[in-house]
Structures are given as structure tokens and as C-alpha cells.
Amino acid sequence: VYLGASDIADYVPSGSFIDANAAITNEGTIVQENLQLLIQKIKAVLYDEKTWAQYLEPLSQPMTDWSGGSYEKKWSWSQERVDGHCRMCRLAFARRAQGGYFNTTTQRVEGVVAPPFGHDFWKTTWKSPESEVEVPH
């Protein structure tokens, strides 16, 4: 679900996200009719595996092909491999991890190393009421 800049489809495949922008005005007012449509789309993704797969399918294209190459042109400075650790996830991790710091220049977590996916850390950490959690070494 995406809520942000209205030109997002210029950079990522338009079929790969649910655009929530119509559900709220720039002033923050909720548009009920559009909110209901958004809810229907989210429910469809949550309850129908085929619908979920349809949102993921456009992401199987090479990034160089996304939106006619707009994504590559805009973000060519970033040659890092895109994996399961999106920048927002890294920022969230760095803020929760004791000793962690998010370097805004490199867009990387510093001070701690995130455990691999599947590690028990990920199963319980985000449920913790603590503002910062210890990262296993």
C-alpha cells in the first residue's frame, strides 16, 4: 500500500502497489468513498493469493524496464542490489536496534548487523514494548 508522491507510477510498475493517495486529500481529509475502494483492494490482496501474485508479477521485470526506464534514470546513483532490506526497513531496524544508526548518506545501518531472515529475532522483536531491542551477535 503506497501513500506518498503522486508520480510513483513513473518509477515503479503501476500494477505492483495499491495506491492509497485517493483516499486522503493533501490537507489530510479522508475521502470516504475512495477509502472504501482502498479497503476493498487491501482485502482482495489479503484474502486472494492470485490477486497478491498479480501485484508481485510486475516486480519480476528487470528494474531497467520499469516505467520505460524512468526508475533506472532517477536512481542510477544507487547501484546496490535490492533485496528484502528496503531502505525504510533499514531505517526502522536502526531506530529499534541498540547501538544502531541509520547513515542517511549511504542509506545503510551502522553499529549493528541485522540477523538473517528467518532468525528468531524477527519473530519476536517487533512485538516488544521496549523502544530499543538488543540485536544478537
Side-chain angles (χ1 to χ4, degrees), residues 106-132:
T106 64
Q107 303 286 297
R108 294 277 182 202
V109 175
E110 296 179 0
V112 293
V113 176
F117 286 117
H119 189 282
D120 285 342
F121 172 82
W122 299 113
K123 295 175 186 167
T124 58
T125 299
W126 306 111
K127 296 177 185 176
S128 170
E130 302 297 319
S131 61
E132 289 189 348

Short mmCIF file of all heavy atoms in Angstrom, two decimals, residues 106-132:
data_model
loop_
_atom_site.label_atom_id
_atom_site.label_comp_id
_atom_site.label_asym_id
_atom_site.label_seq_id
_atom_site.Cartn_x
_atom_site.Cartn_y
_atom_site.Cartn_z
N THR A 106 24.70 6.94 3.08
CA THR A 106 24.87 5.63 2.45
C THR A 106 23.59 4.81 2.45
O THR A 106 23.52 3.77 1.79
CB THR A 106 25.96 4.82 3.17
OG1 THR A 106 25.52 4.55 4.51
CG2 THR A 106 27.29 5.54 3.16
N GLN A 107 22.58 5.26 3.23
CA GLN A 107 21.31 4.55 3.36
C GLN A 107 21.51 3.15 3.95
O GLN A 107 20.83 2.20 3.62
CB GLN A 107 20.60 4.43 2.00
CG GLN A 107 20.35 5.75 1.33
CD GLN A 107 19.22 6.51 2.00
OE1 GLN A 107 18.10 6.06 2.01
NE2 GLN A 107 19.54 7.65 2.58
N ARG A 108 22.47 3.04 4.86
CA ARG A 108 22.82 1.77 5.49
C ARG A 108 22.74 1.86 7.00
O ARG A 108 22.91 2.93 7.58
CB ARG A 108 24.25 1.37 5.11
CG ARG A 108 24.45 1.07 3.66
CD ARG A 108 24.03 -0.32 3.42
NE ARG A 108 24.21 -0.71 2.05
CZ ARG A 108 23.54 -1.71 1.52
NH1 ARG A 108 22.70 -2.38 2.24
NH2 ARG A 108 23.74 -2.04 0.28
N VAL A 109 22.52 0.71 7.64
CA VAL A 109 22.56 0.61 9.09
C VAL A 109 24.01 0.47 9.50
O VAL A 109 24.77 -0.30 8.91
CB VAL A 109 21.76 -0.63 9.59
CG1 VAL A 109 21.90 -0.80 11.09
CG2 VAL A 109 20.30 -0.51 9.19
N GLU A 110 24.40 1.22 10.54
CA GLU A 110 25.75 1.11 11.06
C GLU A 110 25.66 0.81 12.55
O GLU A 110 24.66 1.08 13.19
CB GLU A 110 26.52 2.41 10.82
CG GLU A 110 26.72 2.70 9.35
CD GLU A 110 27.45 4.01 9.09
OE1 GLU A 110 27.81 4.71 10.05
OE2 GLU A 110 27.66 4.32 7.90
N GLY A 111 26.70 0.20 13.09
CA GLY A 111 26.76 -0.08 14.52
C GLY A 111 26.28 -1.46 14.91
O GLY A 111 26.70 -1.99 15.93
N VAL A 112 25.40 -2.06 14.13
CA VAL A 112 24.90 -3.41 14.38
C VAL A 112 24.66 -4.10 13.03
O VAL A 112 24.51 -3.43 12.01
CB VAL A 112 23.58 -3.43 15.18
CG1 VAL A 112 23.78 -2.93 16.59
CG2 VAL A 112 22.50 -2.66 14.49
N VAL A 113 24.66 -5.41 13.06
CA VAL A 113 24.38 -6.18 11.85
C VAL A 113 23.05 -6.88 12.04
O VAL A 113 22.84 -7.56 13.05
CB VAL A 113 25.50 -7.21 11.58
CG1 VAL A 113 25.16 -8.07 10.38
CG2 VAL A 113 26.83 -6.49 11.38
N ALA A 114 22.16 -6.70 11.09
CA ALA A 114 20.85 -7.35 11.18
C ALA A 114 20.98 -8.85 11.04
O ALA A 114 21.72 -9.34 10.18
CB ALA A 114 19.94 -6.82 10.08
N PRO A 115 20.29 -9.60 11.89
CA PRO A 115 20.29 -11.06 11.74
C PRO A 115 19.65 -11.46 10.41
O PRO A 115 18.84 -10.70 9.87
CB PRO A 115 19.43 -11.54 12.91
CG PRO A 115 19.38 -10.40 13.87
CD PRO A 115 19.52 -9.17 13.04
N PRO A 116 19.99 -12.61 9.87
CA PRO A 116 19.40 -13.03 8.59
C PRO A 116 17.90 -13.28 8.72
O PRO A 116 17.39 -13.53 9.80
CB PRO A 116 20.16 -14.33 8.27
CG PRO A 116 20.66 -14.82 9.57
CD PRO A 116 20.89 -13.62 10.43
N PHE A 117 17.21 -13.20 7.59
CA PHE A 117 15.79 -13.51 7.58
C PHE A 117 15.59 -14.92 8.09
O PHE A 117 16.41 -15.80 7.85
CB PHE A 117 15.21 -13.39 6.16
CG PHE A 117 15.06 -11.98 5.71
CD1 PHE A 117 15.77 -11.51 4.62
CD2 PHE A 117 14.21 -11.11 6.37
CE1 PHE A 117 15.64 -10.21 4.21
CE2 PHE A 117 14.07 -9.80 5.96
CZ PHE A 117 14.79 -9.35 4.87
N GLY A 118 14.52 -15.13 8.81
CA GLY A 118 14.23 -16.45 9.37
C GLY A 118 14.76 -16.62 10.79
O GLY A 118 14.37 -17.54 11.49
N HIS A 119 15.67 -15.74 11.21
CA HIS A 119 16.22 -15.81 12.56
C HIS A 119 15.11 -15.52 13.57
O HIS A 119 14.19 -14.74 13.30
CB HIS A 119 17.35 -14.77 12.70
CG HIS A 119 18.14 -14.89 13.95
ND1 HIS A 119 17.69 -14.42 15.16
CD2 HIS A 119 19.36 -15.42 14.19
CE1 HIS A 119 18.59 -14.66 16.09
NE2 HIS A 119 19.62 -15.26 15.52
N ASP A 120 15.15 -16.15 14.73
CA ASP A 120 14.13 -15.96 15.77
C ASP A 120 13.97 -14.49 16.17
O ASP A 120 12.90 -14.09 16.62
CB ASP A 120 14.45 -16.80 17.01
CG ASP A 120 14.15 -18.27 16.80
OD1 ASP A 120 13.41 -18.60 15.86
OD2 ASP A 120 14.66 -19.08 17.58
N PHE A 121 15.01 -13.71 16.01
CA PHE A 121 14.95 -12.28 16.34
C PHE A 121 13.75 -11.61 15.68
O PHE A 121 13.06 -10.80 16.29
CB PHE A 121 16.26 -11.62 15.86
CG PHE A 121 16.27 -10.12 15.97
CD1 PHE A 121 16.56 -9.50 17.17
CD2 PHE A 121 16.00 -9.33 14.86
CE1 PHE A 121 16.59 -8.11 17.26
CE2 PHE A 121 16.04 -7.95 14.94
CZ PHE A 121 16.33 -7.34 16.14
N TRP A 122 13.48 -11.95 14.41
CA TRP A 122 12.41 -11.30 13.65
C TRP A 122 11.03 -11.74 14.10
O TRP A 122 10.05 -11.06 13.84
CB TRP A 122 12.59 -11.54 12.16
CG TRP A 122 13.89 -11.00 11.66
CD1 TRP A 122 14.95 -11.72 11.20
CD2 TRP A 122 14.29 -9.64 11.61
NE1 TRP A 122 15.98 -10.89 10.86
CE2 TRP A 122 15.61 -9.59 11.10
CE3 TRP A 122 13.68 -8.43 11.94
CZ2 TRP A 122 16.30 -8.41 10.91
CZ3 TRP A 122 14.38 -7.26 11.75
CH2 TRP A 122 15.67 -7.25 11.24
N LYS A 123 10.94 -12.88 14.76
CA LYS A 123 9.64 -13.40 15.18
C LYS A 123 9.09 -12.68 16.41
O LYS A 123 7.89 -12.67 16.65
CB LYS A 123 9.72 -14.89 15.44
CG LYS A 123 10.04 -15.68 14.18
CD LYS A 123 10.23 -17.14 14.49
CE LYS A 123 10.70 -17.86 13.23
NZ LYS A 123 11.18 -19.19 13.52
N THR A 124 9.97 -12.10 17.22
CA THR A 124 9.52 -11.50 18.47
C THR A 124 9.88 -10.03 18.63
O THR A 124 9.22 -9.31 19.35
CB THR A 124 10.14 -12.25 19.66
OG1 THR A 124 11.57 -12.19 19.55
CG2 THR A 124 9.69 -13.69 19.70
N THR A 125 10.90 -9.57 17.96
CA THR A 125 11.43 -8.23 18.18
C THR A 125 10.39 -7.13 18.04
O THR A 125 10.30 -6.26 18.88
CB THR A 125 12.58 -7.96 17.19
OG1 THR A 125 13.59 -8.91 17.44
CG2 THR A 125 13.14 -6.57 17.38
N TRP A 126 9.61 -7.16 17.00
CA TRP A 126 8.71 -6.04 16.72
C TRP A 126 7.49 -6.06 17.64
O TRP A 126 6.75 -5.10 17.70
CB TRP A 126 8.32 -6.03 15.26
CG TRP A 126 9.57 -6.03 14.45
CD1 TRP A 126 10.04 -7.04 13.66
CD2 TRP A 126 10.58 -5.01 14.40
NE1 TRP A 126 11.26 -6.70 13.12
CE2 TRP A 126 11.61 -5.47 13.57
CE3 TRP A 126 10.71 -3.77 15.00
CZ2 TRP A 126 12.75 -4.71 13.30
CZ3 TRP A 126 11.84 -3.02 14.74
CH2 TRP A 126 12.84 -3.49 13.89
N LYS A 127 7.32 -7.14 18.39
CA LYS A 127 6.22 -7.21 19.36
C LYS A 127 6.67 -6.67 20.71
O LYS A 127 5.87 -6.47 21.60
CB LYS A 127 5.75 -8.66 19.51
CG LYS A 127 5.15 -9.21 18.24
CD LYS A 127 4.77 -10.67 18.44
CE LYS A 127 4.29 -11.27 17.14
NZ LYS A 127 4.02 -12.68 17.26
N SER A 128 7.95 -6.43 20.88
CA SER A 128 8.50 -5.98 22.15
C SER A 128 8.04 -4.56 22.47
O SER A 128 8.05 -3.69 21.61
CB SER A 128 10.03 -6.01 22.09
OG SER A 128 10.57 -5.36 23.21
N PRO A 129 7.64 -4.32 23.73
CA PRO A 129 7.25 -2.96 24.12
C PRO A 129 8.45 -2.05 24.32
O PRO A 129 8.29 -0.84 24.47
CB PRO A 129 6.49 -3.18 25.43
CG PRO A 129 7.12 -4.41 26.01
CD PRO A 129 7.48 -5.27 24.82
N GLU A 130 9.64 -2.59 24.33
CA GLU A 130 10.84 -1.79 24.53
C GLU A 130 11.06 -0.88 23.33
O GLU A 130 10.83 -1.28 22.18
CB GLU A 130 12.06 -2.70 24.72
CG GLU A 130 11.95 -3.65 25.89
CD GLU A 130 11.86 -2.92 27.22
OE1 GLU A 130 12.57 -1.93 27.42
OE2 GLU A 130 11.05 -3.36 28.05
N SER A 131 11.55 0.33 23.56
CA SER A 131 11.79 1.24 22.46
C SER A 131 13.04 0.82 21.67
O SER A 131 13.14 1.07 20.49
CB SER A 131 11.95 2.68 22.94
OG SER A 131 13.04 2.77 23.82
N GLU A 132 13.98 0.17 22.35
CA GLU A 132 15.17 -0.36 21.69
C GLU A 132 15.36 -1.80 22.11
O GLU A 132 15.10 -2.16 23.26
CB GLU A 132 16.43 0.45 22.04
CG GLU A 132 16.45 1.81 21.42
CD GLU A 132 17.80 2.51 21.62
OE1 GLU A 132 18.62 2.03 22.41
OE2 GLU A 132 18.02 3.52 20.95
#
